[in-house]
Amino acid sequence: MKLGQQKIALVPTMGALHKGHVSLIEVAQQYADVVVCSIFVNPTQFTDPKDLEKYPRPLAHDMDMLLAAGCDVVFMPSVQEMYPEPEEWHIDLGPAEFLLEGEFRRGHYQGVTQIVNKLFNAVNPDLAFFGQKDFQQVLMIENMVAYFKLPVQIISCPIIREDDGLAMSSRNIHLTKDDRKNALVLSEALQYVKDNFKTVSIPELLENAKKMITAIPGVDLDYFTIANGKTLLPEADKNQPDIVALVAAKVGQTRLIDNMLLN
């Protein structure tokens, strides 16, 4: 603990803030005396340069949201500050790094853990808050914290959804009106699995959920899995703890991810 024994919380973001980010700040305020929100679009975690280029950066909007949320400190470093010179970064994040998102975006989690480690070193927080929507990311950050034995408690906060079920995401801004409607099938398929988890077999749940998604025009499924929440390997035993359904799909030109805890 620092600042005369005051607890510091960090909410790392890439900006383009929405109610999901605000919910992280609100939870952090319950745990800590000082809440720091970082805004940094991290180049090393983008596997596609075009994706980095088009990532939304509505700074005035973000500052208004943080002011309204009562955030104490905004940390907004430049790329030059965070990466003053080229550096090599590769740590062992465990086998789960190469599954799901890791398979589609190779090297992504090395970039994520690289910048989160830098943010932790800069802010020196007691706690850090992340959204459950990036389920695999939280797991990778926990693995990074364990790897370096960092004195930071990682707290995962529930997904915040629009009224119709769509998981809030900075990328939703890119959805056309039709895409926005089609994207609802992701949360609907997850909800179907959750509602029927106790009564329908896992293979049948997977088959039905995938059929739901692939039936929608303009939705290109990358994966839908029911997995062990610690290893992200497919789970066949419903009696195991921490089972999660995870999905990723391209809706129009925008890639979306979502997940739901099942037990």
Side-chain angles (χ1 to χ4, degrees):
M1 290 202 281
K2 305 96 190 165
L3 284 183
Q5 301 306 301
Q6 285 189 310
K7 272 196 178 178
I8 300 173
L10 174 64
V11 178
T13 81
M14 293 208 301
L17 304 182
H18 51 68
K19 286 180 192 166
H21 296 108
V22 172
S23 76
L24 297 179
I25 290 165
E26 288 169 349
V27 176
Q29 287 165 338
Q30 297 169 30
Y31 281 79
D33 305 294
V34 177
V35 176
V36 179
C37 178
S38 63
I39 296 177
F40 182 73
V41 182
N42 175 42
T44 69
Q45 72 190 66
F46 284 84
T47 50
D48 177 357
K50 285 182 188 161
D51 200 17
L52 171 61
E53 199 179 299
K54 72 176 188 183
Y55 197 86
R57 295 168 171 85
L59 192 54
H61 158 272
D62 289 351
M63 297 307 285
D64 287 345
M65 285 195 86
L66 292 173
L67 193 63
C71 180
D72 298 300
V73 179
V74 182
F75 178 47
M76 220 164 28
S78 66
V79 174
Q80 183 59 34
E81 280 176 280
M82 296 315 271
Y83 298 101
E85 52 200 40
E87 63 179 62
E88 289 296 312
W89 171 275
H90 193 276
I91 64 169
D92 181 5
L93 294 170
E97 180 193 350
F98 304 107
L99 303 173
L100 307 180
E101 288 303 289
E103 193 180 327
F104 284 87
R105 304 167 74 189
R106 283 193 106 55
H108 172 66
Y109 290 118
Q110 291 296 328
V112 168
T113 51
Q114 180 182 27
I115 191 58
V116 171
N117 185 55
K118 284 174 175 287
L119 292 169
F120 285 175
N121 287 334
V123 177
N124 208 12
D126 299 283
L127 314 111
F129 294 78
F130 297 87
Q132 180 204 313
K133 189 176 76 69
D134 294 297
F135 188 92
Q136 188 172 6
Q137 174 175 283
V138 178
L139 190 62
M140 294 297 100
I141 289 165
E142 287 173 341
N143 290 354
M144 182 269 287
V145 165
Y147 182 89
F148 288 119
K149 299 184 171 63
L150 301 177
V152 184
Q153 185 183 350
I154 304 301
I155 296 177
S156 176
C157 301
I159 295 173
I160 303 298
R161 298 183 180 278
E162 304 285 359
D163 292 341
D164 56 11
L166 183 70
M168 290 190 180
S169 167
S170 302
R171 293 173 187 270
N172 292 350
I173 198 171
H174 296 307
L175 297 171
T176 67
K177 195 176 172 187
D178 285 345
D179 293 342
R180 174 73 180 68
K181 198 171 111 191
N182 294 338
L184 295 179
V185 74
L186 303 183
S187 57
E188 286 164 1
L190 289 168
Q191 192 64 52
Y192 157 77
V193 169
K194 188 176 176 69
D195 291 345
N196 295 279
F197 187 65
K198 287 183 175 164
T199 54
V200 179
S201 73
I202 286 179
E204 200 179 334
L205 288 170
L206 286 170
E207 187 186 348
N208 292 343
K210 288 174 186 175
K211 272 185 188 165
M212 284 173 71
I213 293 167
T214 52
I216 303 297
V219 180
D220 187 12
L221 182 65
D222 280 347
Y223 60 78
F224 191 106
T225 184
I226 294 172
N228 179 298
K230 298 294 180 210
T231 65
L232 299 185
L233 291 167
E235 186 55 78
D237 179 4
K238 287 187 183 181
N239 295 315
Q240 290 298 319
D242 303 320
I243 301 179
V244 60
L246 304 107
V247 64
K250 205 166 181 188
V251 182
Q253 296 301 305
T254 307
R255 193 169 180 280
L256 301 177
I257 59 172
D258 199 353
N259 67 78
M260 217 169 264
L261 305 176
L262 299 180
N263 61 353

